[in-house]
Amino acid sequence: MSIWDAIILGIVEGLTEFLPVSSTGHLTIAAKLLGQKIDDPAVTAFTAVIQFGAIAAVVLFMWKDISRYAVAWFRGLRHPEYRGEFDHRMGWFVIVGSLPICVIGFLAKDIISGPLRSMWWVAGSLIVWSFFMVAAEKLGSKTRPLTRITLIDAIVMGLIQCLALIPGVSRSGATITAGLFRGLDRVASTRMAFLLGIPALVGAAVFELKDALGGDIGPVPLLVGTIVSFVVGYASVAWLIRFVAKHSTSIFAFYRVLLGVVILLLLATSTITAT
């Protein structure tokens, strides 16, 4: 992998990690167009590890909230009188909501990095999940702010987040959609999606680091891709929070369907291959 390839993939990761359009799907498409073997373990690991940049971006963006939740969570462990506070409960919500994808991601690693790394899966998932996103916008009440989130909300969003292990679904798209179905407003759903994404992405990146460094890609492209994804990711996160405050996420669904249809046409005409 050249430095330019790493830069392009870092840009794609930063732009799409927290938008509900599937970063894995877009990275798979980008890697395919760059001539990379998308089902190669080293390439799969590379796309997972450069998520470190996006993780750092969202942690920096939400640092005040994250540090407040962490302090309150630890304080509640030592002092029972603080356990009813929202910030303490949020710490538990993030922990509990993050467990499903960590467990399922570990158990299904070979399937995720193997058979699911196909352009057919990417195209189909992009299209199918778009209908759930539109339904959530139409059916969700969108009346509850983040301060009214419950443990059930966190569990449901955490379980639905597991669907993002299928390339094309989108981790943020899955969790935001689940939050909207549960009645959370768009900003609350998006912020919770960011928080649930941190443990999931860290786990995936750490787990894949060995394969990424042990393959033919090398540490320099890996570092470049990670730095680029951080810079672009921070801008993407900041933009998305402002966007969902005033606009529907359905626009992303329309884009997903269009992209999925284009991929299907390219596959059907043998312009591109599935892997």
Side-chain angles (χ1 to χ4, degrees):
M1 182 178 294
S2 70
I3 297 300
W4 285 112
D5 288 352
I7 291 173
I8 292 171
L9 292 175
I11 292 172
V12 172
E13 163 63 21
L15 280 174
T16 60
E17 181 58 58
F18 295 102
L19 299 184
V21 296
S22 176
S23 63
T24 304
H26 280 74
L27 283 168
T28 303
I29 295 168
K32 180 69 177 177
L33 294 176
L34 291 171
Q36 302 290 334
K37 188 172 175 57
I38 59 176
D39 57 351
D40 184 289
V43 175
T44 302
F46 175 87
T47 58
V49 172
I50 63 173
Q51 292 173 342
F52 270 127
I55 298 165
V58 78
V59 168
L60 179 62
F61 182 81
M62 298 189 68
W63 178 247
K64 289 183 179 179
D65 292 334
I66 293 170
S67 59
R68 191 175 72 249
Y69 298 150
V71 169
W73 184 77
F74 281 109
R75 183 173 58 196
L77 292 180
R78 293 179 296 170
H79 305 288
E81 63 270 23
Y82 291 110
R83 293 174 187 172
E85 293 183 354
F86 169 75
D87 289 348
H88 173 77
R89 289 185 287 112
M90 269 297 291
W92 280 116
F93 294 167
V94 174
I95 292 171
V96 173
S98 300
L99 290 177
I101 196 169
C102 293
V103 174
I104 294 176
F106 176 77
L107 295 176
K109 177 183 181 299
D110 292 339
I111 298 175
I112 297 164
S113 60
L116 292 183
R117 289 289 173 161
S118 165
M119 297 298 287
W120 289 107
W121 274 106
V122 172
S125 300
L126 281 168
I127 294 170
V128 171
W129 193 255
S130 299
F131 292 99
F132 288 95
M133 292 174 62
V134 173
E137 282 286 353
K138 291 185 176 297
L139 301 177
S141 63
K142 299 185 287 293
T143 56
R144 290 192 290 135
L146 190 61
T147 52
R148 291 180 58 195
I149 193 171
T150 67
L151 179 60
I152 299 299
D153 295 328
I155 292 173
V156 171
M157 293 178 75
L159 289 171
I160 297 300
Q161 183 176 226
C162 295
L163 294 176
L165 295 171
I166 303 172
V169 170
S170 169
R171 190 202 54 75
S172 61
T175 46
I176 291 171
T177 298
L180 293 178
F181 270 125
R182 290 289 303 168
L184 296 175
D185 63 39
R186 295 190 191 99
V187 173
S189 298
T190 303
R191 284 188 170 272
M192 191 61 183
F194 288 170
L195 292 169
L196 290 176
I198 295 171
L201 296 177
V202 168
V206 170
F207 195 76
E208 297 283 3
L209 184 59
K210 178 177 176 293
D211 287 341
L213 292 174
D216 297 328
I217 293 176
V220 175
L222 199 62
L223 180 61
V224 170
T226 302
I227 292 173
V228 172
S229 73
F230 165 75
V231 175
V232 178
Y234 188 89
S236 178
V237 166
W239 176 83
L240 182 60
I241 286 293
R242 291 195 299 270
F243 180 86
V244 297
K246 298 180 180 179
H247 302 89
S248 167
T249 60
S250 295
I251 185 66
F252 297 109
F254 298 139
Y255 163 76
R256 290 166 55 99
V257 171
L258 178 61
L259 179 60
V261 169
V262 170
I263 295 172
L264 289 177
L265 290 174
L266 293 175
L267 288 168
T269 57
S270 298
T271 304
I272 61 173
T273 57
T275 58

